Amino acid sequence: MITTTLATICAANPCSSGIRRLLAHVGKTMADARANNTPLPVLVVLESNGIGDALWVLDMAVGDKRICRLFAADCAERVHHIFAAERPDDDRPMAAIRAARDLNATPEQLAAAWAAAGDAARAAAGDAAWAA
């Protein structure tokens, strides 16, 4: 289990709304949090704040970009079926997932795959907005 601490999170200058949400979830005050070095599973941040803040904490706490990429790829793959149901012939998100898992991928390959997946997501969101 990957953990951090509330003190580590506070020291990294999190956004005010995110830290308030997390502290409410764990029943702590900011003063408590700044001195709290009890291990806090990153999954608690995911439950409380969602994937964006969990990835930020994971990146900040672990500092290993490879682990963050693998975790993000796992999360993306879990919901890929939603995208695939709407755009079954668009492989850009799965290509980005494969690139994230490729330990030999260059920064340029990762950036290109990330940009393509973002383009696919924006296109799908535009389709959904148009249908509404």
Side-chain angles (χ1 to χ4, degrees), residues 7-24:
T8 300
I9 293 171
C10 290
N13 298 316
C15 68
S16 60
S17 62
I19 192 65
R20 281 196 309 269
R21 188 176 319 118
L22 177 60
L23 294 178

Side-chain angles (χ1 to χ4, degrees), residues 111-128:
W114 179 263
D119 290 344
R122 284 185 290 284
D127 290 350

Side-chain angles (χ1 to χ4, degrees), residues 7-8 11 20 41 45 47 51 53 60 64 66 75 80-81 83 86 92-93 106 112 119 121 127:
T8 300
R20 281 196 309 269
V45 179
E47 293 167 1
I51 190 68
D53 283 358
M60 179 269 313
D64 185 337
R66 182 182 56 85
C75 292
H80 180 262
H81 66 278
F83 179 88
E86 294 297 319
R92 293 176 290 182
T106 66
D119 290 344
D127 290 350

Side-chain angles (χ1 to χ4, degrees), residues 8-100:
T8 300
I9 293 171
C10 290
N13 298 316
C15 68
S16 60
S17 62
I19 192 65
R20 281 196 309 269
R21 188 176 319 118
L22 177 60
L23 294 178
H25 182 76
V26 297
K28 302 286 184 188
T29 66
M30 184 60 86
D32 295 334
R34 286 190 179 109
N36 190 319
N37 286 306
T38 303
L40 176 74
V42 174
L43 289 176
V44 171
V45 179
L46 177 63
E47 293 167 1
S48 170
N49 292 38
I51 190 68
D53 283 358
L55 288 172
W56 179 83
V57 167
L58 183 65
D59 182 40
M60 179 269 313
V62 177
D64 185 337
K65 301 291 186 199
R66 182 182 56 85
I67 290 174
C68 295
R69 281 195 349 242
L70 294 174
F71 180 73
D74 288 348
C75 292
E77 189 170 40
R78 285 179 170 244
V79 298
H80 180 262
H81 66 278
I82 298 167
F83 179 88
E86 294 297 319
R87 293 178 156 245
D89 296 327
D90 192 338
D91 189 49
R92 293 176 290 182
M94 280 309 296
I97 291 168
R98 286 190 299 275

